[in-house]
Amino acid sequence: MPSFVRPRDARLRGDRPTDSLASSPGALRDAHAGPAPLQWLQRQVRRARRVPRLLSAVVAQRRGPMQMLRAIARIYRASGAGGVLRAASALEARTRQGDTSAALTYARWIARHDSIDETTRAALRQRLALLPQQPLVSVVMPTYNANPAWLRAAIESVRSQLYPRWQLCIADDASTDAQARQVLASYADDARIKVVYRSQNGHISAASNSALALADGEWIALMDHDDLLKEDALLWMAEAICQAPEARLFYSDEDKLDASGQRCDPYFKPDWNLDLFYSQNMFSHLGVFHAALVRQVGGFRVGMEGAQDYDLVLRCIEHIAPDQIRHVARVLYHWRTHPQSTADNAGAKPYAQLAGERALNAHFQRRGIRGSVAHVGNGYRARYALPSACPLVTLVIPTRNGLALLCRCIDSIRARTDYPYFDILVVDNGSDEPETLAYLEALARQADVEVLRMDGPFNYSALNNAAVAHARGELVALLNNDTEVISPDWLSEMVSIALQPGVGAVGARLWYSDGTLQHGGVVLGVGGVAGHSHKHLSRDGAGYFGRGSLIQSFSAVTAACLVVRRATYQAAGGLDEVNLKVAFNDVDFCLRLCAMGLRNVWTPYAELYHHESATRGSDETPEKQQRFASEVRYMLERWGDTLRRDPAYNRNLTLASEDFALASPPRESAPA
């Protein structure tokens, strides 16, 4: 008999794990509708006739033949021929819609969804007329020996704003380039532009403070002297300010300008994500600050040059609540790339990375967070200190037979876990193989292991709930029996985060046996209900703007390896053993933690293999399909709108795959 422990990713999409090619909601519903066996066979025959179309879909994807063959092989190993047919159908549909990541370039996406013509301008002016107020926004710009053409373009991008209530406050930091000063002097007749010429060079923090001193606006927007504001940037910010008058910080999405001035490399960010912000300065650009808050914290700090804006935001968030930070999910800022810019070369300003470290560590110290932050190449890593007396963690491992898997899992825990204080609770769901029973009997005689026998039909939620109720640990770690520990500090890392205030569940970075990523956090809405971020990312891949390799919050993490305080687990009601016996119970649980005001954190520094589907049996039975369809319906009814608006994702990114491709069209914005 196969193990009854369902792989987490399989539960995200049903009993059969699938590749991202089979992730469209239509394919999901079609694959699990639960027909009678004859009807199902007839459907497969009809689908088989579509196989030749897969070739045209592959061409549209512009993938290499070996890449596509590997993808097809992965689907076949996980789902058989039916899975390949479903993948072909989904890919064909996506190709017809033109929503494939390779085919839909950013330039084409801009032309379809983000260009401004006269019709668009008229609509934007109507939005402007409906604003209940028009707050004054002071754009603060320090400059020093700027490229004259770029400086003029930056200034003109502010003057071209559709929103009229702005002023531009420029501080020239004793430029030695006469041309740059001439550019500034040419705007002397524009009363909206205020310029101060510093007598000596003080670097960017001092210059920014000089520009800040000129500002009369209630709101401060930060801008570099070689970048551009999008024509509607301040309008969207003003609208957001009016919609959320209690907010004090706003930030937008951004992209870059290449050497030819073309827009490229868009960063569509999540809503406020504290853990990701500790990993990278996702706030800039465009950042807009309440002026009184900026002055309250003392403006820019001299000595933090290169990370002065990062440091400013860190000090600001110490005085406001998380819901006072709002994200405008639109590209409003164009960051110019050139060899001296960190937009083009993160190593161009190594002092900036060191300044970022200092800013983050100072913030931790002010907030009383026991830990430290260090730059790790593609961002920063926060390490949280464990208490002097480590709390007991109970590792909960459901299983049924699958002796080789269970042995490998437990052996890896014992051999590769440096956390000093844990015990193991194996939940046996009716094993009947003599070798497994003998192994479980031997385990039960060990001082730090307990075996809890629970016979009956497989119900993953009920197994874990019973185990947690029985557990002795202050924290519990839900663990699949087909996982294998890789990093010795996996449990120390997860526990150190789980003990932080405001944290609910903590998830790990899980790898397939072939070394590609299986779980990098859960993204809501992908494939209909939820999918795994960056699925099949390579070992050396950083992911979308580093998000495949940095600590961050997600709306949900997989329970294949999940750590949470036992009291928190019970306060949330545990896993839903009535409506979600197999699928989506971890997603539902994590969403209930979010509803409690907690955040779920994923860390790439706790690493395990997830030998997914190694014990999966037949998954085409009508009973399983009907059960899955019921669980899908429950999730859509319970969390429908939430699934479409994941705050840890972005409306401009697709729900058709896990690779952060562009959404065409973007989804509707969530209300402020």
Side-chain angles (χ1 to χ4, degrees):
M1 292 285 290
S3 167
F4 270 67
V5 177
R6 288 298 178 200
R8 294 297 92 196
D9 187 67
R11 296 203 330 282
L12 287 172
R13 295 191 184 280
D15 287 341
R16 59 178 72 77
T18 62
D19 188 73
S20 60
L21 297 177
S23 60
S24 73
L28 184 75
R29 290 192 298 269
D30 191 41
H32 298 279
L38 179 58
Q39 293 171 317
W40 178 86
L41 181 59
Q42 290 170 337
R43 179 187 300 162
Q44 300 311 309
V45 170
R46 288 194 300 270
R47 283 179 175 170
R49 295 169 184 161
R50 300 181 185 176
V51 171
R53 300 180 191 173
L54 178 59
L55 294 176
S56 62
V58 168
V59 172
Q61 282 283 86
R62 299 179 187 173
R63 298 189 179 192
M66 292 307 298
Q67 185 180 5
M68 289 304 301
L69 286 173
R70 284 194 294 270
I72 293 169
R74 283 197 301 267
I75 302 171
Y76 183 82
R77 287 196 301 270
S79 314
V84 174
L85 294 173
R86 287 188 297 275
S89 179
L91 179 55
E92 177 194 349
R94 287 172 55 198
T95 302
R96 285 198 307 269
Q97 296 166 3
D99 190 13
T100 58
S101 57
L104 187 64
T105 65
Y106 186 44
R108 290 177 59 196
W109 187 91
I110 291 170
R112 292 183 189 181
H113 309 298
D114 200 37
S115 60
I116 299 179
D117 55 20
E118 285 306 319
T119 301
T120 308
R121 287 188 186 92
L124 289 169
R125 291 188 180 104
Q126 288 181 344
R127 298 185 79 98
L128 173 63
L130 294 174
L131 292 182
Q133 56 181 316
Q134 293 185 16
L136 178 63
V137 180
S138 296
V139 180
V140 169
M141 180 192 295
T143 183
Y144 175 73
N145 284 348
N147 178 306
W150 293 349
L151 177 59
R152 188 175 295 279
I155 294 172
E156 289 298 330
S157 77
V158 179
R159 297 182 78 207
S160 300
Q161 288 298 299
L162 293 169
Y163 183 74
R165 290 269 293 156
W166 58 263
Q167 66 173 177
L168 177 57
C169 303
I170 304 175
D172 180 80
D173 198 20
S175 291
T176 58
D177 185 341
Q179 285 185 304
R181 295 173 70 95
Q182 289 169 5
V183 170
L184 297 178
S186 69
Y187 290 98
D189 59 346
D190 191 331
R192 300 169 299 176
I193 299 177
K194 302 170 75 172
V195 181
V196 62
Y197 296 92
R198 291 172 51 84
S199 59
Q200 61 181 18
N201 181 266
H203 212 346
I204 192 167
S205 293
S208 295
N209 283 331
S210 295
L212 181 62
L214 301 174
D216 301 313
E218 182 185 357
W219 293 91
I220 304 295
L222 304 186
M223 184 177 180
D224 292 342
H225 65 194
D226 49 3
D227 297 338
L228 301 179
L229 292 186
K230 194 160 172 281
E231 185 179 350
D232 53 353
L234 297 185
L235 172 57
W236 288 114
M237 282 297 184
E239 182 176 272
I241 289 167
C242 292
Q243 291 175 346
E246 75 288 353
R248 292 296 176 264
L249 297 176
F250 294 85
Y251 66 98
S252 77
D253 300 333
E254 63 189 73
D255 64 13
K256 298 183 177 68
L257 298 174
D258 64 19
S260 63
Q262 298 300 307
R263 292 172 58 183
C264 61
D265 204 14
Y267 187 6
F268 291 112
K269 307 170 187 177
D271 290 346
W272 180 244
N273 191 314
L274 179 64
D275 299 285
L276 182 59
F277 182 65
Y278 286 163
S279 300
Q280 61 174 216
N281 184 6
M282 52 164 276
F283 189 90
S284 294
H285 302 281
L286 171 68
V288 175
F289 302 68
H290 195 250
L293 177 62
V294 173
R295 294 189 172 97
Q296 177 186 350
V297 303
F300 298 91
R301 283 205 298 170
V302 174
M304 289 295 176
E305 286 78 12
Q308 72 286 339
D309 52 350
Y310 203 176
D311 175 68
L312 178 62
V313 180
L314 286 164
R315 286 182 288 123
C316 285
I317 67 175
E318 296 166 11
H319 297 273
I320 61 176
D323 62 3
Q324 292 180 286
I325 308 168
R326 296 302 178 93
H327 170 219
V328 178
R330 298 176 182 275
V331 171
L332 303 182
Y333 193 98
H334 309 310
W335 193 8
R336 193 181 299 276
T337 64
H338 53 83
Q340 287 74 46
S341 167
T342 53
D344 188 53
N345 177 13
K349 299 178 181 178
Y351 67 88
Q353 299 163 0
L354 296 176
E357 277 189 16
R358 294 199 307 275
L360 286 160
N361 282 298
H363 169 77
F364 271 36
Q365 187 173 21
R366 290 191 300 270
R367 282 207 140 169
I369 300 172
R370 295 181 61 249
S372 62
V373 184
H375 191 263
V376 290
N378 66 322
Y380 298 91
R381 177 183 179 181
R383 294 178 183 264
Y384 300 95
L386 288 166
S388 54
C390 290
L392 176 66
V393 183
T394 296
L395 310 185
V396 174
I397 309 175
T399 194
R400 184 176 192 267
N401 296 321
L403 176 60
L405 288 176
L406 184 61
C407 285
R408 179 169 57 189
C409 177
I410 291 179
D411 288 349
S412 72
I413 291 169
R414 294 193 182 283
R416 304 188 194 118
T417 302
D418 64 8
Y419 188 81
Y421 196 29
F422 67 88
D423 62 3
I424 298 173
L425 177 54
V426 177
V427 191
D428 177 30
N429 186 216
S431 291
D432 54 11
E433 293 177 352
E435 298 85 353
T436 303
L437 292 173
Y439 177 73
L440 292 173
E441 192 174 322
L443 278 180
R445 291 195 293 268
Q446 299 178 19
D448 60 348
V449 180
E450 187 172 1
V451 177
L452 181 66
R453 179 82 177 192
M454 286 188 64
D455 294 338
F458 174 72
N459 184 326
Y460 182 88
S461 297
L463 293 174
N464 280 285
N465 288 345
V468 171
H470 194 77
R472 297 187 303 119
E474 179 182 337
L475 295 96
V476 292
L478 308 188
L479 200 62
N480 271 22
N481 70 342
D482 58 355
T483 57
E484 178 184 358
V485 172
I486 299 173
S487 55
D489 60 347
W490 73 280
L491 191 53
S492 298
E493 169 75 5
M494 297 180 77
V495 170
S496 71
I497 297 173
L499 293 176
Q500 297 306 305
V503 172
V506 179
R509 178 154 62 170
L510 304 181
W511 299 98
Y512 285 114
S513 302
D514 66 2
T516 61
L517 189 65
Q518 189 268 340
H519 173 253
V522 172
V523 175
L524 304 179
V526 171
V529 176
H532 283 183
S533 164
H534 292 106
K535 193 186 228 181
H536 296 299
L537 183 71
S538 65
R539 277 277 192 174
D540 57 355
Y544 183 76
F545 284 86
R547 292 194 63 184
S549 54
L550 295 171
I551 298 173
Q552 64 202 274
S553 300
F554 279 96
S555 294
V557 292
T558 180
C561 181
L562 180 153
V563 172
V564 63
R565 292 176 186 263
R566 183 162 54 91
T568 301
Y569 183 97
Q570 294 172 325
L575 304 184
D576 186 340
E577 57 189 74
V578 176
N579 301 295
L580 301 170
K581 298 177 182 179
V582 178
F584 309 118
N585 39 53
D586 45 8
V587 178
D588 172 75
F589 172 70
C590 286
L591 289 178
R592 282 185 275 120
L593 293 178
C594 292
M596 293 168 59
L598 300 173
R599 65 187 197 272
N600 302 307
V601 182
W602 175 79
T603 174
Y605 304 110
E607 298 186 277
L608 298 88
Y609 285 117
H610 187 187
H611 302 288
E612 187 181 55
S613 302
T615 61
R616 181 178 54 82
S618 173
D619 52 22
E620 295 290 358
T621 66
E623 180 184 2
K624 289 183 179 181
Q625 294 178 12
Q626 290 165 6
R627 184 267 307 155
F628 178 79
S630 172
E631 290 168 333
V632 168
R633 283 194 300 271
Y634 176 81
M635 288 296 292
L636 294 176
E637 291 168 3
R638 175 73 175 84
W639 300 107
D641 195 53
T642 300
L643 300 180
R644 290 186 290 273
R645 292 173 172 169
D646 187 345
Y649 200 48
N650 189 296
R651 72 185 188 94
N652 296 290
L653 299 175
T654 185
L655 297 180
S657 62
E658 300 100 332
D659 58 1
F660 289 74
L662 297 171
S664 184
R667 294 177 299 285
E668 180 184 354
S669 295

